[in-house]
Amino acid sequence: MIKTLKGEHYYGRNYNNRHATSTYLSNKFQAKVRDDPGYSIPGIVNETRRLFMLDISQKIAARTKQKSLEALRGNDMEQYHRLWDYVATVKNSNPDSHISLQIDRRNVEERATFQRIYYGLGALKNGFLKGCRPIIGLDGCFLKSPFGGQLLTALGRDANENMFPISFAVVEVENYDSWSWFLRELISQIGRENKGVAYTFISDRQKGLVHAIEELFLESKHRFCLKHMFENFKQRFKNQDLRNMFWEVAAATSMPEHETAIANLARADPQEGDKLTTAGWFKRLPPKLLSIAHFSTACRSDTCVNNMSESWNNYILKAREKPIITMLEWIRRRLMQRLVTKREGMLKHGGTLCQNIYEKLEKFKIKARNCVAIYGGNGNLEVDGYGRTNVVNLEMKTCTCDHFQFSGIPCVHAVACIQSRKLKFEDYVNACNHREAYLRAYNFTIGPVPSKQFWVDRKMQYLNPSLVKKQPGRPKKQRKKGPEEPTNQQKASRKGLAVYYRRCLKSGHNIRTCKLGIHPKSKLYKALKVGPTASNATSVASTTQASVSSTTATTLSQEPNQPISGTNQKSHQSRSSKRKQPAATARMSRFLAVFWLTNTFMGIVLRFFGYVLVDFAYLLGFDGYVLVNCGICDCIAMLVNLLAMLCCGNMDGNITGHIFAEND
């Protein structure tokens, strides 16, 4: 029983609670973190105060997010422990798969350390061998997990010119040893050739990759990505004209065009002492690595950039920060969905060729309008267009521009020949670009994998994660961007834009270094040719009109295409400054006209007021007052009109005459 109650208190609400731990809050925020993995720490603090009326620190909020992510993705250490079981489960659900683990064990007593894993699914291998052309793109990207590492990838190209993943691997670092191991595992899965044709590799200049390909694939061809080679070229040569000529050399499809482009490059950048020229830069590298004219035609692909690998890196961007098993499962599930989606989409598409091939042919048809084909018998035709004559053989599917042989798709000249002979385009496209080849590549499926409660128990010793050397500073989450690459993709940058000097219209020139004259197309040249307007000429004195007219006649007497330079520039500058005076005179004339109209109106009003007073005085009989009032009003009106006439004395004769007519 309560005998005494004191209901008064002077304390506010307490927002602190020691039971609000990170473990408790992680269960409350799992749904939000799952929907938005980038959920911010301040957002968790504010949401906790709004929902639970509690104040938590930034440290507790960070632990809450970390535990929520671990509950959703799994713990990094625990996933390395179950890696053997996961590999066995994937092999059971996906037969004909090649998944291998490489560990580092110093002695029997110690626990082994994870080093590398190769992940090649059977559906991807069979799809590549059945329906893709023999070209493979190689690339690597870094992982963002706490234990780091590199992800090496081998990508093919399907019949629709899209990427087709073959296999990938997680290694500790990207070097010659890791690339050699990855290529040996790739050989054991798909062999060194496909249907008797050696593979063609395209890659960047990764560390040790070129040497590894030369050792393991003796008969294979290797290409460098021209986009990355161009980035290296730009760092050494800053001239924009030389940069444009880089693509003329690299993109030449025939040997004569390649030699002509090299000769033009040598003339544009001649040798001066020991300086490395652009032509010397090209000659340092084997032409088969970076010139389309030296590429092999066996793979039926004219691609010279490794954009497939860049698309793949963007495709798996969200998985690169997850733990190892979660990352592998995320990629496997996406690829499983991709095979089904691609196959169902192509089944709905009618036609013999793939969609992208039809789009290419449509573009070539538009360009072929400027070509004229002349039939010479036996499938040979001469094609005149774009300033040259090319020879096309439709039976052999060849053209002197070599583009037909490289890509397996009719070039512009071949399209003109096919149209002139009224033939079908599908008959002259290589079989690797047909719809049947696409369906063969995506005809296989990837088996599903259950959750970890149903994994096969291999009874193997747990693995430790790979050793990581912690670097100073915060862990890097973004790649290093190039010197000319914009830092913000959402904001346009002026960096790299050519700035033209308005006087000579040349890029890179300024007022201190320019020694050229004024260009005829420059605005300065057009401004010098413009004389005074007609309205200004009427308000300028006769002497000023004579000087301006002589100046205008002198300016217009020059040739229209002759630049103005030398000593005439100062005289033109003085003339342009003199032309500013008529504009000021016109403004003063307008002001005086308004002033004259105002004073005239006041004089009229005063006179009218005087006449009204006169009539009123006559009615009242004040004759003397009438005369005095009339005289006063007339005098005031004359003074006002005289003041307007004196102020407007410099105006044209029409206004002055109008003033005297008004006073009369």
Side-chain angles (χ1 to χ4, degrees):
M1 178 182 293
I2 301 176
K3 295 183 178 180
T4 304
L5 174 64
K6 294 182 180 181
E8 297 179 358
H9 63 90
Y10 303 97
Y11 301 99
R13 184 182 181 90
N14 187 11
Y15 291 94
N16 297 323
N17 191 335
R18 61 186 181 87
H19 297 289
T21 60
S22 59
T23 304
Y24 170 80
L25 294 175
S26 63
N27 298 326
K28 303 296 182 181
F29 283 94
Q30 278 188 17
K32 292 184 177 295
V33 174
R34 181 180 62 249
D35 298 337
D36 184 13
Y39 197 50
S40 63
I41 305 300
I44 295 177
V45 174
N46 298 332
E47 193 73 8
T48 303
R49 183 179 181 85
R50 187 180 67 84
L51 294 178
F52 307 108
M53 303 296 289
L54 295 174
D55 281 340
I56 61 173
S57 63
Q58 297 274 348
K59 191 174 182 179
I60 294 179
R63 290 178 178 174
T64 300
K65 182 179 179 181
Q66 181 181 1
K67 291 182 179 180
S68 300
L69 290 174
E70 288 182 357
L72 297 172
R73 300 175 178 177
N75 185 271
D76 291 87
M77 293 292 295
E78 293 179 358
Q79 294 200 3
Y80 280 100
H81 295 168
R82 299 293 306 275
L83 200 55
W84 289 111
D85 301 339
Y86 170 74
V87 171
T89 306
V90 174
K91 286 184 177 181
N92 289 342
S93 60
N94 292 273
D96 202 18
S97 297
H98 181 72
I99 304 176
S100 61
L101 272 169
Q102 182 175 353
I103 60 176
D104 183 17
R105 187 191 298 272
R106 298 184 179 181
N107 53 61
V108 181
E109 298 178 357
E110 292 184 1
R111 184 183 296 182
T113 302
F114 169 81
Q115 192 172 6
R116 298 163 184 166
I117 181 173
Y118 180 88
Y119 201 90
L121 297 173
L124 300 178
K125 180 199 75 171
N126 297 328
F128 172 74
L129 295 177
K130 297 291 184 180
C132 295
R133 62 197 73 187
I135 183 171
I136 300 175
L138 301 175
D139 195 17
C141 60
F142 68 95
L143 300 178
K144 306 176 185 179
S145 63
F147 297 101
Q150 296 282 332
L151 184 70
L152 308 183
T153 311
L155 298 172
R157 187 178 286 264
D158 60 20
N160 200 31
E161 299 288 344
N162 295 331
M163 68 174 184
F164 189 90
I166 304 172
S167 62
F168 52 91
V170 178
V171 298
E172 71 281 6
V173 69
E174 186 178 2
N175 54 18
Y176 166 76
D177 187 36
S178 60
W179 274 116
S180 299
W181 174 82
F182 177 74
L183 293 178
R184 282 193 295 268
E185 297 291 338
L186 184 64
I187 291 173
S188 63
Q189 184 185 14
I190 64 174
R192 285 186 169 85
E193 59 184 23
N194 185 11
K195 299 177 183 179
V197 179
Y199 295 118
T200 298
F201 294 95
I202 179 170
S203 67
D204 308 336
R205 300 182 65 179
Q206 278 96 346
K207 301 175 182 178
L209 179 57
V210 178
H211 186 48
I213 292 177
E214 292 177 353
E215 283 188 352
L216 299 175
F217 294 89
L218 300 178
E219 298 180 358
S220 298
K221 305 299 180 181
H222 191 194
R223 303 178 184 179
F224 280 163
C225 177
L226 295 185
K227 179 65 173 61
H228 292 83
M229 297 298 296
F230 182 60
E231 295 296 330
N232 298 335
F233 184 86
K234 288 195 300 183
Q235 293 180 5
R236 182 176 291 271
F237 304 101
K238 306 299 182 182
N239 192 339
Q240 185 63 36
D241 296 334
L242 297 179
R243 294 180 178 182
N244 296 335
M245 297 181 72
F246 170 89
W247 292 107
E248 297 180 5
V249 176
T253 56
S254 62
M255 295 300 297
E257 292 180 355
H258 177 75
E259 294 175 358
T260 303
I262 286 290
N264 295 337
L265 195 62
R267 285 194 296 269
D269 187 20
Q271 183 69 40
E272 296 179 1
D274 297 336
K275 184 191 75 171
L276 178 63
T277 61
T278 52
W281 185 87
F282 273 99
K283 293 178 181 179
R284 291 195 311 171
L285 299 172
K288 64 179 181 180
L289 296 177
L290 47 81
S291 173
I292 298 180
H294 295 81
F295 287 171
S296 173
T297 60
C299 63
R300 295 299 180 183
S301 177
D302 61 344
T303 179
C304 56
V305 292
N306 198 17
N307 54 358
M308 296 182 299
S309 299
E310 302 299 332
S311 301
W312 169 259
N313 293 338
N314 186 47
Y315 186 76
I316 63 169
L317 183 62
K318 295 181 179 179
R320 290 163 56 183
E321 60 182 5
K322 301 179 183 295
I324 182 168
I325 293 181
T326 306
M327 179 189 68
L328 297 176
E329 271 297 283
W330 190 93
I331 297 175
R332 185 201 58 82
R333 182 173 293 184
R334 289 290 300 272
L335 294 178
M336 180 177 65
Q337 297 173 346
R338 179 182 175 86
L339 293 181
V340 177
T341 304
K342 292 287 186 179
R343 180 174 63 255
E344 292 178 352
M346 186 55 67
L347 289 174
K348 298 177 183 178
H349 170 69
T352 307
L353 306 178
C354 296
Q355 183 64 30
N356 290 341
I357 308 303
Y358 277 122
E359 293 179 0
K360 276 190 175 183
L361 290 176
E362 290 298 326
K363 294 180 181 179
F364 289 160
K365 289 178 184 179
I366 297 175
K367 295 182 179 180
R369 297 173 183 174
N370 300 325
C371 299
V372 179
I374 303 173
Y375 184 64
N378 297 328
N380 294 317
L381 294 96
E382 289 185 2
V383 182
D384 297 333
Y386 297 101
R388 64 182 65 186
T389 301
N390 290 274
V391 178
V392 179
N393 191 320
L394 293 180
E395 295 181 357
M396 301 296 295
K397 298 181 181 179
T398 60
C399 179
T400 52
C401 72
D402 292 337
H403 188 273
F404 199 175
Q405 299 90 294
F406 281 123
S407 62
I409 303 173
C411 60
V412 177
H413 315 104
V415 168
C417 297
I418 295 172
Q419 287 180 331
S420 66
R421 301 296 298 167
K422 298 180 181 180
L423 303 174
K424 293 183 178 180
F425 290 97
E426 291 81 357
D427 298 337
Y428 296 93
V429 177
N430 193 274
C432 63
N433 296 306
H434 284 205
R435 178 173 175 266
E436 290 79 5
Y438 187 93
L439 292 176
R440 287 197 304 269
Y442 292 96
N443 194 33
F444 303 92
T445 58
I446 298 176
V449 176
S451 60
K452 61 182 179 180
Q453 292 83 359
F454 305 98
W455 288 354
V456 177
D457 190 3
R458 289 286 307 276
K459 305 296 183 180
M460 298 289 291
Q461 188 182 22
Y462 288 167
L463 294 178
N464 287 331
S466 57
L467 300 177
V468 179
K469 182 179 179 181
K470 183 174 176 58
Q471 302 294 333
R474 274 191 165 189
K476 303 298 185 295
K477 294 291 185 179
Q478 297 181 353
R479 63 177 178 87
K480 296 181 180 179
K481 297 185 178 181
E484 297 187 4
E485 189 174 358
T487 56
N488 188 359
Q489 299 290 344
Q490 306 297 330
K491 182 180 180 181
S493 175
R494 297 184 61 186
K495 186 176 182 180
L497 296 178
V499 180
Y500 295 89
Y501 184 33
R502 64 174 185 170
R503 190 163 163 268
C504 64
L505 300 183
K506 295 290 184 180
S507 62
H509 289 209
N510 53 46
I511 192 173
R512 295 176 299 165
T513 60
C514 182
K515 298 181 181 179
L516 303 177
I518 300 178
H519 197 276
K521 294 183 179 181
S522 174
K523 293 183 179 180
L524 296 178
Y525 184 85
K526 297 177 182 178
L528 293 175
K529 292 177 63 177
V530 177
T533 59
S535 62
N536 295 338
T538 58
S539 61
V540 182
S542 60
T543 56
T544 307
Q545 292 179 356
S547 61
V548 171
S549 61
S550 62
T551 303
T552 307
T554 305
T555 305
L556 297 177
S557 64
Q558 295 184 354
E559 295 295 333
N561 296 327
Q562 181 180 0
I564 303 174
S565 59
T567 57
N568 294 331
Q569 297 176 5
K570 297 182 179 180
S571 61
H572 282 291
Q573 293 176 358
S574 61
R575 294 167 190 169
S576 62
S577 62
K578 290 180 180 179
R579 291 193 187 95
K580 298 179 181 179
Q581 297 177 1
T585 306
R587 289 193 294 270
M588 182 59 70
S589 301
R590 288 192 295 270
F591 171 76
L592 294 178
V594 174
F595 184 76
W596 173 82
L597 291 174
T598 304
N599 290 340
T600 304
F601 178 77
M602 291 176 61
I604 295 173
V605 170
L606 289 173
R607 285 190 176 185
F608 177 78
F609 183 73
Y611 294 148
V612 171
L613 291 179
V614 168
D615 295 338
F616 186 75
Y618 272 119
L619 292 175
L620 296 178
F622 298 103
D623 296 337
Y625 177 79
V626 169
L627 296 177
V628 174
N629 179 70
C630 183
I632 292 174
C633 292
D634 286 338
C635 291
I636 294 176
M638 288 297 295
L639 289 175
V640 171
N641 290 334
L642 181 61
L643 178 62
M645 180 181 64
L646 293 176
C647 293
C648 301
N650 292 330
M651 297 174 62
D652 55 348
N654 294 330
I655 298 179
T656 308
H658 181 71
I659 294 175
F660 284 107
E662 179 67 24
N663 284 284
D664 291 337

